[in-house]
Amino acid sequence: MNNTNQPSLAKRLTVSTIALIAGTLIIVTGIVYLTIVSFGNKFLDNELQEKSNFIQKAFAVPIWTYDQYQINEIGNSLLGDAKYTYVSALKVETTTNETLFEKTQDKKSDYFRTASLPFTKTRVIDIYKDDRKIGMISVAMTNYGYIKAFRDQFIIIIIAMTILMIIISKLASYYINKTLTVPLTKILTHVHHIEEENYTQHELANLPRELDSISRALNQAASVIEKRNKDIMFYTNDLEKLVQHRTAELEEQMMKNLNTARLAAVGEMAADVAHEINNPLTVIDLHAAKLKRLQSGLPEDVSHSIDKVQQMVKRIGKIIKGLKSLSRDGHADPLVAFSISSMIEDVKMLVEMKVRSHDIRFDVVIPDPGLQAIGREVQISQVLVNIIGNAVDAVTGLPDKWIRVEVKEKDDKVYFYITDCGKGIPPDLQEKIMHPFFTTKGVNKGTGLGLSISKNIIEEHDGHLEYNKESPNTQFVFTLKKA
């Protein structure tokens, strides 16, 4: 993870270099300072020893003779101004502790305060005359001038070294930035491009030998990654296409199996029903025909009842015929011309009971009763029954319930419009309604195969089944070739 708060590599290396140099200078300077202070202490000891020998000889006679003038002259001469090492305080006493002379370089101070100052050493010198102690001289000697001179030079050296370090830091920062940071930034930019799947080759010039090797390795790695990504995408696309193809085949086979099983079951039932009903219907029709021949001798209301019975027999026959046709798999039938009016009458008879049971108004509009289309009549009947059945389920709970089937012809095509009183299908479901196994009905109320199978049937007829989004009501439209 990138941390933008961290200083750059050039800054860190420069700071490290300057810190190393500064630390080294501090250590060296400390050692030099301690060495000079130690040397100053030894030098002060030697000077104090020499002064002590001189003082011991110089003050012996004046103290013996009690020559105050001579004592003052010698004392003042010893306190003369010196540059580096000098006597800072002097006190001359007799053996009876009588002070004969006391003076310091600082006229505002006394001997004891002067003797306690830094860089100052003291010594008490006993004065003898013929092996007899005649007095004592206290001497305070300092090398403060020596230390001060060194300190002034040291401060100048530190200032110079600070300026030099600033210059060195600038030069080091420039050099490190040019020779390391800038090349590394270029290499990092290349790495970021690879992370973003940009595998463009970057030929970076003027790189150090080690970084140039890294750059070449990155280019090679980017080339290998790009090739592998392309291979993976190629194989992935092939695999996706294969999976989609196999899935579509499986779904199609499942739909065909389900549809075949359903049609087979319904077909068997329809055949059984037709067989069981046809015989009684034939008997009823024969007896009605006999009564019809005797119609002249029968009352008018009985004659009317006979006509009604014959009409119902014909109606039941048509229903059985339509049921047998609907339940039959018409996939193998040839594409032939068929009467649209007749086909829709058969469909209307099949759905009439369901429509009436839900109190739905059902209208059929065919401007040309002689209009014919080319196709498999059984399969087109199945499509219409399925769409009308869906419409019945959709409008059951609405107040004003109606369904309308309208047929129009244009050029060489016949258009079938199945419209109901619903207000349309929600946009998020419009793209899914034609998918296999998709249904909005409750559990055990639909398989989600009706519209998908109907769409396949119409497409096998070189037609097109679609939901009309522009209609204010729910409307499905499909086309067939006109005969």
Side-chain angles (χ1 to χ4, degrees), residues 322-356:
L323 183 61
K324 290 175 67 177
S325 297
L326 182 66
S327 61
R328 186 171 62 83
D329 183 8
H331 183 75
D333 292 351
L335 296 173
V336 296
F338 64 90
S339 170
I340 296 175
S341 297
S342 175
M343 183 267 296
I344 291 181
E345 282 298 320
D346 291 341
V347 170
K348 185 177 179 181
M349 195 170 298
L350 290 172
V351 301
E352 189 173 12
M353 184 178 295
K354 186 175 182 180
V355 169
R356 286 184 178 180

Side-chain angles (χ1 to χ4, degrees), residues 193-207:
H193 287 166
I194 294 175
E195 289 178 349
E196 297 170 356
E197 299 183 0
N198 179 4
Y199 303 111
T200 305
Q201 300 291 305
H202 291 75
E203 297 297 333
L204 306 179
N206 301 324
L207 294 180

Side-chain angles (χ1 to χ4, degrees), residues 186-219:
K186 294 179 180 178
I187 291 176
L188 287 175
T189 302
H190 191 186
V191 172
H192 293 323
H193 287 166
I194 294 175
E195 289 178 349
E196 297 170 356
E197 299 183 0
N198 179 4
Y199 303 111
T200 305
Q201 300 291 305
H202 291 75
E203 297 297 333
L204 306 179
N206 301 324
L207 294 180
R209 181 167 52 86
E210 296 83 356
L211 297 182
D212 184 63
S213 299
I214 295 175
S215 176
R216 293 178 184 276
L218 281 175
N219 281 330

Side-chain angles (χ1 to χ4, degrees), residues 371 407-415 417 480 482:
L371 184 62
V407 180
K408 296 181 181 180
E409 58 177 315
K410 183 178 180 181
D411 299 331
D412 62 339
K413 289 186 178 181
V414 179
Y415 291 81
Y417 298 86
L480 293 175
K482 186 171 67 172

